[in-house]
Amino acid sequence: MKTAVDAGVAQYAQLASVLRHQIAQGEIPAGSRLPTVAELAEAHGVARITARQAYGVLAREGLVHSARGRGTFVADAPTQRGAGLDAHLRAAINDPAAAELRIDLIEQQRRQPLPADLLGPFKPCASYDMVKKRHIHQGEPFCLIEMHVDSSVRALFPRGAEKRHKIAWLINQHAPGRLHEVQQTLSVAPADLPLSRALDCPFGTPVLQMTRRVLDRQGQVVLAGRFWYRGDRFVMDQSIPFDVWLHHPGMVIPDYHRGP
């Protein structure tokens, strides 16, 4: 019987989720032979086609592979959320100056107001340019971004620069000293259909959502955006001195209700 937690989730997706968790936690070690489709179906009380579909999901994610006549096995180096990301992808995510990524521009709009939820209690600039883009590493998308940047600052960028560099890096290069404070909020939600298509990930798999605004010293929002990261291709690297974390909690948990 389905509970309120799994109501509406396809059986194969539920089964894939159980196996994914067991692999991630090391309960099923790398290289292990998994049950046959018939064995898996019987163990979990589902149809064989459901078991076969669950294995198909995990195979597409690179977690398992099948060998004809031998069975289905856990990959030798299964993807671990965050921990298994190579150094180049970690840099592509965390380094504003990262060069080892491809940037696909999806949509651009000029001189728009900043959405109210991104402005918060802070001062707006006169207008913003919206850039919707996708970040890709080694042929795989890992992030969908909707970015809003002060139109007067974006006018300083060389033509086409957003296809080669991250916007925060461009602002620092062409309007040095303008960026003063970064605020961001992270949450996790299942991928809906547009996100699963944009990020090339299964429907309903975890996606990290980040909202970020960057202020200048006058409390104006110079840059603000929404980010959606594939859950299996995200890790945030941070190093915060303990005394800063202890005595200045606003650096980790900003007070979004304060005014400029």
Side-chain angles (χ1 to χ4, degrees):
M1 179 182 295
K2 290 187 176 182
T3 67
V5 174
D6 57 26
V9 180
Q11 278 192 318
Y12 77 86
Q14 295 179 44
L15 181 54
S17 178
V18 170
L19 296 172
R20 187 187 298 112
H21 176 82
Q22 292 175 335
I23 292 170
Q25 298 303 312
E27 297 173 21
I28 306 177
S32 297
R33 183 182 181 277
L34 292 164
T36 65
V37 168
E39 292 168 342
L40 183 66
E42 182 178 358
H44 290 271
V46 298
R48 292 188 181 188
I49 189 171
T50 299
R52 189 174 294 109
Q53 288 174 319
Y55 277 157
V57 170
L58 299 180
R60 289 192 293 273
E61 295 176 4
L63 292 176
V64 306
H65 62 87
S66 297
R68 185 179 294 276
R70 294 182 57 219
T72 302
F73 297 82
V74 177
D76 289 336
T79 301
Q80 302 293 322
R81 296 189 191 279
L85 302 186
D86 65 52
H88 298 297
L89 179 53
R90 296 176 83 101
I93 294 169
N94 292 282
D95 185 356
E100 293 194 25
L101 78 160
R102 191 179 92 220
I103 300 174
D104 285 352
L105 295 185
I106 299 171
E107 181 185 354
Q108 300 183 63
Q109 296 179 10
R110 297 187 181 275
R111 301 194 175 281
Q112 302 289 316
L114 184 64
D117 62 313
L118 290 178
L119 177 61
F122 301 97
K123 300 175 183 176
C125 296
S127 68
Y128 294 82
D129 287 6
M130 189 281 288
V131 178
K132 189 171 185 179
K133 58 179 180 171
R134 194 167 60 153
H135 286 181
I136 297 172
H137 175 71
Q138 293 184 346
E140 286 195 76
F142 65 89
C143 185
L144 178 68
I145 302 169
E146 178 192 299
M147 188 73 74
H148 302 259
V149 57
D150 176 3
S151 297
S152 65
V153 171
R154 191 189 180 207
L156 303 173
F157 299 171
R159 186 177 181 85
E162 297 93 337
K163 294 181 180 180
R164 300 186 299 274
H165 302 287
K166 293 184 176 181
I167 291 177
W169 184 87
L170 289 169
I171 295 176
N172 194 52
Q173 291 294 306
H174 300 283
R178 182 72 189 276
L179 304 182
H180 173 63
E181 179 183 345
V182 178
Q183 297 184 347
Q184 56 191 28
T185 300
L186 285 72
S187 60
V188 177
D192 57 20
L193 189 57
L195 282 176
S196 68
R197 288 173 174 170
L199 295 175
D200 192 23
C201 63
F203 176 81
T205 56
V207 171
L208 183 133
Q209 301 179 346
M210 178 191 297
T211 301
R212 175 185 294 165
R213 63 167 68 92
V214 187
L215 312 175
D216 63 15
R217 293 183 183 277
Q218 287 69 48
Q220 279 190 314
V221 180
V222 181
L223 179 67
R226 302 181 180 91
F227 302 70
W228 295 270
Y229 287 91
R230 275 178 48 166
D232 62 343
R233 294 177 65 77
F234 176 82
V235 62
M236 176 169 285
D237 296 316
Q238 290 184 319
S239 178
I240 302 172
F242 179 77
D243 60 339
V244 172
W245 174 76
L246 182 65
H247 298 294
H248 302 278
M251 294 190 69
V252 182
I253 308 175
D255 181 0
Y256 291 110
H257 299 290
R258 67 179 171 82

